[in-house]
Amino acid sequence: MEINLLILFLALLADRYFGDPEWLWKKIPHPVVMFGRAISYVDKRFNVPGNSDQWRRRDGFLAVLGLLLLSAAIGFFVHLALRTIPPFGGLIEAIIVAVFLAQKSLGDHVERVAIALREEGLIGARHAVSMIVGRDPDVLDEPAISRAAIESLAENTSDGIIAPAFWFVLLGLPGLFAYKMLNTADSMIGHLNDRHRDFGRFAAKLDDAANWVPARLTGLLIACAAWVVYGYRAAKQSFDVMMRDARLHRSPNAGWPEAAMAGAIDVALAGPRIYGGVIANEPMLNGAGRRDAGLENIEDALHVFSTTTAIFAIAVLTLFIVGLFF
């Protein structure tokens, strides 16, 4: 596990400062894009609308299980191949891990929303936020755009950074590849619509289980970051709001980082939203916080986010050093 911690630390540094090289992914498909193509194939091939609900659940279970085993096997053989070329293999593995993390890309996407609000107004900001959330952009005003950006930032801190890092530390490249395959499957087929309610059930439930620990860890890291950025009172509020309101969220996991962020910057998040013309009436997280969130709150959230990922990287390095001596 110690070597995984060192590789992860190097990957976190690389991803924080360099992110995803867009020029590269214009020439070759990103691994997550390849995962998406595989999921799309099994969805088209095995999700047969005429089958019974029970059969579709079975087929979804077998399809997703097969994809997870395949991705884990690829990760295992890549790791074996890299072990034959030390020390360069470890550096290459760190680069591979960095590809599956989303520190810089997530921060950049949310920052684009803030820049658009500042320089382009609602039209530009609606377009920018539509790149990171699924809600209808045309009905969003500035507070709704700001809340959407902050919620996406908080939730994806867990899904895009802490969770893949967590599974890499535990299970190496096989765990990282399998987690990203599962998380991608959940985003593509883990929905409660007629087509995927049964076929995607296993992906959705397993993704909830895989993110249970990382989501709560992310919430704690955000509270720690609030302490560093704003002091003890903000950290206490972040932790208290998380413990009180996290379970109000429709997701068993997303509410933890979102509630922690809501408390950290003292804004009210979640609440009623519109997806595909359908209103989702949900309670507010930190309902006593500021309701008219704006540009400055996105910037506050980005500051907390940057500090959160820095604390996480320091914690990873500390665990590696401790592991060398104990």
Side-chain angles (χ1 to χ4, degrees):
M1 183 178 290
E2 286 80 10
I3 189 62
N4 284 355
L5 287 167
L6 178 59
I7 289 172
L8 175 60
F9 176 72
L10 296 175
L12 288 166
L13 287 183
D15 182 54
R16 185 181 183 92
Y17 293 105
F18 301 106
D20 283 335
E22 294 186 8
W23 60 268
L24 177 62
W25 307 129
K26 288 180 180 179
K27 295 181 178 180
I28 61 174
H30 192 284
V32 174
V33 172
M34 299 298 291
F35 288 176
R37 290 176 181 173
I39 295 161
S40 180
Y41 171 79
V42 299
D43 184 30
K44 293 176 181 177
R45 175 68 177 80
F46 300 107
N47 187 9
V48 181
N51 287 347
S52 68
D53 295 348
Q54 182 178 358
W55 277 81
R56 293 176 78 179
R57 289 185 185 183
R58 185 209 64 174
D59 291 342
F61 168 79
L62 293 175
V64 171
L65 181 62
L67 290 173
L68 294 179
L69 292 174
L70 175 62
S71 56
I74 292 172
F76 176 74
F77 286 114
V78 169
H79 174 71
L80 283 184
L82 293 176
R83 287 182 61 184
T84 65
I85 50 172
F88 300 105
L91 294 175
I92 295 171
E93 187 162 337
I95 293 172
I96 293 172
V97 175
V99 166
F100 287 94
L101 301 176
Q103 287 177 104
K104 192 173 188 302
S105 60
L106 175 58
D108 287 348
H109 276 95
V110 174
E111 188 175 19
R112 287 189 193 114
V113 179
I115 293 172
L117 271 175
R118 185 186 302 114
E119 299 179 358
E120 303 173 35
L122 282 181
I123 294 178
R126 284 169 175 167
H127 173 73
V129 83
S130 71
M131 299 293 102
I132 57 175
V133 299
R135 61 198 72 177
D136 297 345
D138 294 338
V139 300
L140 300 179
D141 56 11
E142 181 173 343
I145 290 170
S146 301
R147 288 196 303 272
I150 295 167
E151 290 162 19
S152 178
L153 181 67
E155 180 180 0
N156 285 294
T157 301
S158 177
D159 289 359
I161 303 166
I162 307 301
F166 175 83
W167 287 106
F168 173 74
V169 170
L170 286 186
L171 300 173
L173 286 182
L176 174 63
F177 283 23
Y179 172 78
K180 292 302 293 185
M181 177 67 81
L182 175 63
N183 193 241
T184 306
D186 177 61
S187 68
M188 293 179 65
I189 64 174
H191 306 295
L192 292 176
N193 54 36
D194 291 340
R195 177 170 179 80
H196 294 122
R197 180 177 291 106
D198 296 297
F199 187 79
R201 179 182 175 85
F202 176 66
K205 295 298 184 182
L206 188 60
D207 185 71
D208 287 344
N211 283 293
W212 197 94
V213 172
R216 286 147 182 82
L217 175 59
T218 304
L220 290 174
L221 288 168
I222 289 173
C224 291
W227 195 331
V228 174
V229 177
Y230 298 115
Y232 170 77
R233 183 172 297 180
K236 185 178 186 304
Q237 177 167 285
S238 176
F239 182 79
D240 289 346
V241 170
M242 177 180 69
M243 297 304 295
R244 186 191 69 216
D245 292 351
R247 295 175 182 83
L248 298 177
H249 201 285
R250 59 191 169 90
S251 164
N253 295 316
W256 293 84
E258 288 187 25
M261 183 66 81
I265 62 175
D266 198 24
V267 297
L269 297 179
R273 288 164 286 184
I274 301 177
Y275 297 92
V278 179
I279 298 177
N281 285 306
E282 298 178 13
M284 303 292 289
L285 306 178
N286 190 33
R290 178 178 174 180
R291 297 291 183 102
D292 57 338
L295 167 63
E296 66 274 18
N297 300 114
I298 300 178
E299 293 172 339
D300 290 344
L302 283 166
H303 195 181
V304 172
F305 163 75
S306 179
T307 306
T308 299
T309 55
I311 291 172
F312 180 60
I314 292 170
V316 168
L317 180 60
T318 302
L319 288 173
F320 166 70
I321 295 172
V322 170
L324 292 179
F325 295 98
F326 295 98

